[in-house]
Amino acid sequence: MISRSPDLFKFRGVVSPRNLRSFHHRHPPPPPAPTMSDLRPPEHQVAGHRASANKLGPLVDGSGLFYKPLQAGDRGEQERAFYEAFSAHAAVPPRIRDAFFPRFHGTRLLPTEARPGEPHPHLVLDDLLAGLQAPSVADIKIGAITWPPSSPEPYVAKCLAKDRGTTSVLLGFRVSGVRVVAPGGAVWRPERPELKALGTAGVRRVLRRYVSSVSGEVADCALAAAVYGGEGGVLSQLRELKAWFEEQTLFHFYSASILLGYDADAVSATGAGGGVRVKLVDFAHVAEGDGVIDHNFLGGLCSLIKFISDIVSEAPETPPLAP
Amino acid sequence: MISRSPDLFKFRGVVSPRNLRSFHHRHPPPPPAPTMSDLRPPEHQVAGHRASANKLGPLVDGSGLFYKPLQAGDRGEQERAFYEAFSAHAAVPPRIRDAFFPRFHGTRLLPTEARPGEPHPHLVLDDLLAGLQAPSVADIKIGAITWPPSSPEPYVAKCLAKDRGTTSVLLGFRVSGVRVVAPGGAVWRPERPELKALGTAGVRRVLRRYVSSVSGEVADCALAAAVYGGEGGVLSQLRELKAWFEEQTLFHFYSASILLGYDADAVSATGAGGGVRVKLVDFAHVAEGDGVIDHNFLGGLCSLIKFISDIVSEAPETPPLAP
């Protein structure tokens, strides 16, 4: 069971998402409010709505912060409630919070291009790709089931159709977005319909291409050892996350994603390192765990681990010599 | 990918379940056909239809074999196809096949009470509870999703309603049947509606009562260390099974159950041992894995492991002294 201290925010999961109490007193004061001219849509965004004159979308300020507009309806409050509960939860190991989650700096009203004169509340989070010169990024939505069990019928039906229409039910995850930077700087970024249409073989191809150093269709997996394998690589980080998911019964992360990132410049130049990042994002549908592990996320995570470890096993140990 | 030798049965999963070729040449010849008078419904059956004058149901012959009538429609052929493929599959480790699955002895036409004069095909399997004097048994259906992804819409809707109406979606498993023998011989065997109505706390209660030595409502978990814990206990067997599920990409076991069994007489007398059994059963909805792990079964299995390890952690190391 989740132990709840009465003076902590009570996370109510999807059942009762509204709790508007301010938590600024528990977070370090965020830096001075950025003006609209400081803010821009993140260059490397691979999933979700892109901020524009017509749409709200995430913004970055170039100094390490990421501003995510609160989503409409319950979702925005739900995600804020999760961040507040998670940030303060005594049972979350600090190492897990620091390694695998964006740091939460509270919420902030910001001007937006889409709604001039009507400041919109944003979650203030760490920019997970800050410091990467040439970020290769993948957004992978985890879980065969993306709807919290308490969801109303029409929402279940809508999610189920998407989960069956993509690889979620079959593989326990789906690739929601990907961006790969080749050594010359060429960027491969398939459109959403292409990603939605992927089957098992297509997902395997994308995960291979994510660690390939060529810009064409052929995936050489030259970066697999450096990015997926080795100490601090994706695989070792995913396995650490898995160990936590085998035990944690606090939260069920429906419809959350694992964001992978590495610096294509750094990893190509050195053949190792490259600031590999493995982070959880998108918490609008998190539910209370209530003493039960998140078997749905865990199963999908294990499936992703198998895909990636298969690629590491097949891949060359070191990058091939230049021709 | 599944490697297939051309002279082996080609398991087609749920997509194309019919293959009526006889495989008696690959199985040891079964013992002489039992007559109707040798056969009886198993005394310890906890789930599924019970054989009667009106209904087909499993039968045992008292000498270690279990006869399961082929189910109607595709299901029966599907289950037979699974057993034939699984029995012969070179990539299934013998230790896994022997430890966790009933041995398959082919099929046999048998007279039944429900259909006199019309012999019905039965799968001939090992009787998993043979040799237990006082079997305490639990049938636990594993997986948040019980429908193979290729299922037609009405079947998905029917399964989904059951999976949401029971604990399957929430816990990744549901208790389909249980039978607990107390030291004096009293048997506790809740009815199906009672099991279907269980929530998280109810499932925890049943799993505690399964290893308790008292016949009343109070679960003392006196047998938890002997049955769930220790070498050869349920937990160590489930963990071995889990290690296989983290790697195996041959089969997806939708709607299969884990059957737990132990000898209440033996374990109560000695405080240990008791012939603990952990077996997979019910394979009418198995699908081809096609290079992907069974993340749905694995997730549910991990959830069950967490429930049981929580009980072992809380339980007394040795049975309490008799009053």
Side-chain angles (χ1 to χ4, degrees):
Chain A
M1 300 297 293
I2 303 179
S3 69
R4 297 194 188 89
S5 162
D7 58 341
L8 284 186
F9 181 90
K10 191 175 182 231
F11 177 67
R12 300 299 305 260
V14 289
V15 182
S16 168
R18 294 174 185 283
N19 189 318
L20 306 177
R21 214 175 349 145
S22 163
F23 276 75
H24 282 154
H25 67 281
R26 288 196 296 99
H27 303 290
T35 65
M36 204 155 83
S37 62
D38 296 329
L39 299 170
R40 54 175 199 279
E43 196 186 334
H44 319 303
Q45 188 183 340
V46 295
H49 297 303
R50 200 168 165 78
S52 70
N54 305 314
K55 273 211 162 113
L56 289 174
L59 300 164
V60 291
D61 64 357
S63 67
L65 291 178
F66 181 94
Y67 298 86
K68 180 172 181 177
L70 246 65
Q71 294 174 70
D74 285 347
R75 294 182 191 191
E77 286 308 329
Q78 180 63 28
E79 187 160 26
R80 163 151 79 172
F82 166 76
Y83 270 113
E84 286 172 344
F86 183 80
S87 302
H89 207 300
V92 176
R95 157 76 194 164
I96 292 292
R97 186 156 39 213
D98 295 347
F100 297 113
F101 289 81
R103 187 180 289 270
F104 176 57
H105 304 280
T107 56
R108 167 145 306 176
L109 285 171
L110 288 184
T112 66
E113 202 187 342
R115 301 189 188 166
E118 196 190 330
H120 188 88
H122 286 64
L123 302 167
V124 187
L125 304 167
D126 280 352
D127 179 359
L128 300 175
L129 302 175
L132 302 185
Q133 291 306 307
S136 282
V137 186
D139 180 300
I140 303 170
K141 194 184 278 282
I142 304 292
I145 293 174
T146 60
W147 41 274
S150 64
S151 305
E153 206 49 64
Y155 185 74
V156 173
K158 192 177 130 188
C159 292
L160 187 62
K162 280 192 205 170
D163 299 345
R164 295 184 73 194
T166 62
T167 60
S168 292
V169 167
L170 204 56
L171 309 188
F173 66 88
R174 65 180 183 249
V175 178
S176 296
V178 69
R179 173 191 200 266
V180 186
V181 187
V187 171
W188 178 64
R189 184 186 201 143
E191 296 296 323
R192 239 163 271 178
E194 188 181 339
L195 291 175
K196 279 188 182 164
L198 291 176
T200 303
V203 165
R204 214 178 285 280
R205 218 160 41 233
V206 167
L207 291 175
R208 291 170 60 87
R209 184 143 178 198
Y210 181 65
V211 290
S212 289
S213 64
V214 287
S215 49
E217 280 292 326
V218 183
D220 62 6
C221 296
L223 313 181
V227 173
Y228 286 159
E231 206 181 333
V234 169
L235 208 45
S236 101
Q237 293 196 51
L238 290 178
R239 285 183 176 137
E240 185 180 353
L241 195 59
K242 175 185 167 223
W244 183 58
F245 269 91
E246 286 175 342
E247 291 297 326
Q248 77 89 9
T249 61
L250 305 171
F251 302 105
H252 287 190
F253 292 91
Y254 292 102
S255 204
S257 285
I258 287 179
L259 190 82
L260 304 181
Y262 70 92
D263 191 333
D265 279 359
V267 80
S268 298
T270 64
V276 172
R277 292 164 198 197
V278 173
K279 303 280 184 179
L280 266 70
V281 295
D282 293 343
F283 305 120
H285 301 283
V286 174
E288 274 198 80
D290 217 7
V292 178
I293 66 162
D294 187 351
H295 51 86
N296 177 60
F297 190 100
L298 177 58
L301 177 57
C302 290
S303 178
L304 178 62
I305 286 173
K306 183 68 165 73
F307 269 74
I308 291 183
S309 74
D310 284 352
I311 294 172
V312 172
S313 309
E314 295 157 10
E317 284 279 317
T318 50
L321 293 174
Chain B
M1 299 296 292
I2 302 178
S3 69
R4 294 194 190 90
S5 163
D7 58 342
L8 284 186
F9 181 90
K10 191 173 183 239
F11 177 66
R12 302 298 306 262
V14 287
V15 181
S16 167
R18 293 175 186 284
N19 189 320
L20 305 178
R21 217 177 341 147
S22 163
F23 276 76
H24 280 155
H25 66 282
R26 289 196 295 97
H27 301 292
T35 64
M36 205 156 82
S37 63
D38 295 330
L39 300 170
R40 53 174 200 280
E43 195 187 333
H44 319 303
Q45 187 184 340
V46 294
H49 295 302
R50 199 168 165 78
S52 70
N54 305 316
K55 274 213 162 114
L56 290 173
L59 301 165
V60 290
D61 65 358
S63 66
L65 292 179
F66 181 93
Y67 299 85
K68 180 172 180 177
L70 247 66
Q71 293 173 70
D74 285 348
R75 295 183 190 192
E77 287 308 328
Q78 180 63 28
E79 185 159 29
R80 163 151 79 172
F82 167 75
Y83 270 113
E84 286 173 345
F86 183 80
S87 301
H89 208 299
V92 176
R95 157 76 194 164
I96 292 292
R97 187 156 37 215
D98 295 347
F100 297 113
F101 289 82
R103 187 180 289 270
F104 176 57
H105 304 280
T107 56
R108 169 146 304 177
L109 285 171
L110 287 184
T112 65
E113 202 186 344
R115 300 190 188 165
E118 194 189 331
H120 189 87
H122 286 65
L123 302 168
V124 187
L125 304 166
D126 281 352
D127 178 359
L128 299 175
L129 302 176
L132 302 185
Q133 293 306 307
S136 283
V137 186
D139 180 301
I140 303 170
K141 193 185 279 283
I142 306 292
I145 293 175
T146 61
W147 42 274
S150 64
S151 305
E153 205 49 62
Y155 185 73
V156 172
K158 192 177 129 187
C159 291
L160 187 62
K162 278 191 207 171
D163 298 345
R164 295 184 74 194
T166 62
T167 60
S168 290
V169 166
L170 204 56
L171 309 188
F173 67 88
R174 65 182 183 247
V175 178
S176 296
V178 68
R179 172 190 201 267
V180 186
V181 187
V187 172
W188 178 64
R189 185 187 200 142
E191 296 296 323
R192 237 163 274 179
E194 188 182 338
L195 291 174
K196 279 187 181 163
L198 290 176
T200 304
V203 166
R204 214 179 285 280
R205 216 159 44 231
V206 167
L207 291 174
R208 290 170 61 88
R209 182 139 180 202
Y210 182 64
V211 289
S212 288
S213 65
V214 288
S215 49
E217 281 290 326
V218 183
D220 61 7
C221 295
L223 313 180
V227 173
Y228 286 159
E231 207 181 333
V234 168
L235 208 45
S236 101
Q237 293 195 52
L238 290 179
R239 286 182 175 139
E240 185 180 354
L241 195 59
K242 174 186 169 222
W244 184 58
F245 269 91
E246 286 175 341
E247 291 298 327
Q248 80 88 9
T249 61
L250 305 170
F251 303 104
H252 287 190
F253 292 90
Y254 292 102
S255 204
S257 285
I258 287 180
L259 190 82
L260 304 181
Y262 71 91
D263 191 333
D265 279 1
V267 79
S268 299
T270 64
V276 173
R277 291 163 200 197
V278 173
K279 303 280 182 178
L280 266 69
V281 295
D282 295 344
F283 305 120
H285 301 284
V286 175
E288 274 197 80
D290 217 7
V292 178
I293 67 163
D294 188 352
H295 51 84
N296 178 61
F297 191 99
L298 177 58
L301 177 57
C302 290
S303 178
L304 178 62
I305 285 173
K306 183 67 164 75
F307 270 75
I308 291 182
S309 74
D310 283 352
I311 294 171
V312 171
S313 309
E314 296 157 8
E317 285 279 317
T318 49
L321 292 173

